Amino acid sequence: MDTVRKYSIAYKGLSQGEHTFDFEIGDDLFQLFENKEIKGGNCRAEIELVRSERQLQLGVSIRGEVIVECDRCLGDCALPVDFAGKLVVKFSDEIREYDGETMWISAAQDYVELAQYLYESIILSLPYQRVHPEGACDPDMLRRFRIVSDEEFEQIENRVETQQAAAAENEQWTRSLETLKERMEQEEEKKR
Ligand SMILES: [Zn+2]
């Protein structure tokens, strides 16, 4: 079964009235879409479907977890999904564009394809800011991204200069010690 078919409902054989469907949503759904906003995940969609003559009414709830890129540290970050929405599917020879509430399909079509609807609903349910909980970000990545202010930069430069000056001073001191030692040895030899 291909992925699009897996997330479809074969409605033709359904009697008028209520039906329920469950979908286990896995990585395959997220891989269908190009933008890679969601890297993977595990969700469960429960669909309450009411069939009538000219349309289907769907009550959709999706719960689970998806993996996205953390906005702060770019690491993998698991976010909970909790979505509830309604969708109307109308049978018509005149196919109009899906407007977020109503989907139009030809009466000749055997399946209602829900892959895109499920994917978009999951995206919609995610918070605007997608980040790890406070303190859970990758510390190495945060350090790498940290923007150093001018003041901090100056402090770092000063520290390096001070260290270099100290090293130079140290070298001079060592050299004078050696000179002193040599001179003392020479003095010692003269005495013998
Ligand atoms: Zn993070």
Side-chain angles (χ1 to χ4, degrees):
M1 205 194 287
D2 71 39
T3 309
V4 173
R5 180 62 62 85
K6 178 182 161 190
Y7 298 107
S8 297
I9 292 176
Y11 69 93
K12 288 247 160 127
L14 300 177
S15 57
Q16 294 206 4
E18 275 187 43
H19 303 269
T20 55
F21 296 88
D22 283 340
F23 292 102
E24 295 297 333
I25 299 173
D27 293 350
D28 56 354
L29 178 76
F30 306 116
Q31 281 156 10
L32 267 187
F33 298 92
E34 287 290 303
N35 71 3
K36 303 275 178 288
E37 203 171 337
I38 296 179
K39 296 177 168 189
N42 263 304
C43 298
R44 183 183 175 83
E46 286 175 2
I47 297 174
E48 307 269 343
L49 180 151
V50 179
R51 178 169 188 183
S52 50
E53 186 85 32
R54 305 293 303 161
Q55 67 177 33
L56 307 171
Q57 280 176 286
L58 278 65
V60 181
S61 76
I62 310 171
R63 285 205 174 78
E65 197 178 73
V66 291
I67 307 295
V68 297
E69 188 179 88
C70 171
D71 291 337
R72 210 187 290 136
C73 74
L74 306 187
D76 284 355
C77 172
L79 291 179
V81 172
D82 192 353
F83 170 85
K86 287 193 190 321
L87 173 68
V88 175
V89 180
K90 291 195 172 174
F91 312 131
S92 171
D93 293 333
E94 185 203 341
I95 305 297
R96 296 187 215 163
E97 205 154 323
Y98 169 61
D99 61 3
E101 284 172 12
T102 308
M103 194 188 278
W104 303 76
I105 65 169
S106 143
Q109 199 176 319
D110 293 336
Y111 294 89
V112 181
E113 291 176 2
L114 292 174
Q116 180 135 13
Y117 174 81
L118 294 172
Y119 180 79
E120 285 173 1
S121 300
I122 290 170
I123 299 259
L124 278 178
S125 79
L126 297 179
Y128 178 68
Q129 218 194 6
R130 299 165 192 177
V131 291
H132 285 114
E134 205 57 50
C137 280
D138 180 343
D140 288 343
M141 292 299 272
L142 288 187
R143 216 167 293 135
R144 206 178 298 174
F145 295 143
R146 209 173 94 198
I147 294 158
V148 178
S149 68
D150 285 349
E151 204 181 320
E152 282 176 304
F153 187 76
E154 217 168 282
Q155 278 174 357
I156 292 166
E157 270 206 322
N158 283 343
R159 206 176 318 144
V160 171
E161 268 170 30
T162 316
Q163 277 167 357
Q164 279 171 347
E169 214 172 300
N170 215 359
E171 209 177 311
Q172 224 167 9
W173 172 242
T174 313
R175 221 178 297 142
S176 23
L177 256 188
E178 270 168 13
T179 320
L180 187 67
K181 211 171 134 199
E182 266 170 43
R183 211 177 294 157
M184 280 169 74
E185 277 168 1
Q186 279 166 5
E187 294 288 323
E188 285 285 315
E189 262 176 45
K190 265 186 216 163
K191 277 183 200 161
R192 278 182 209 153

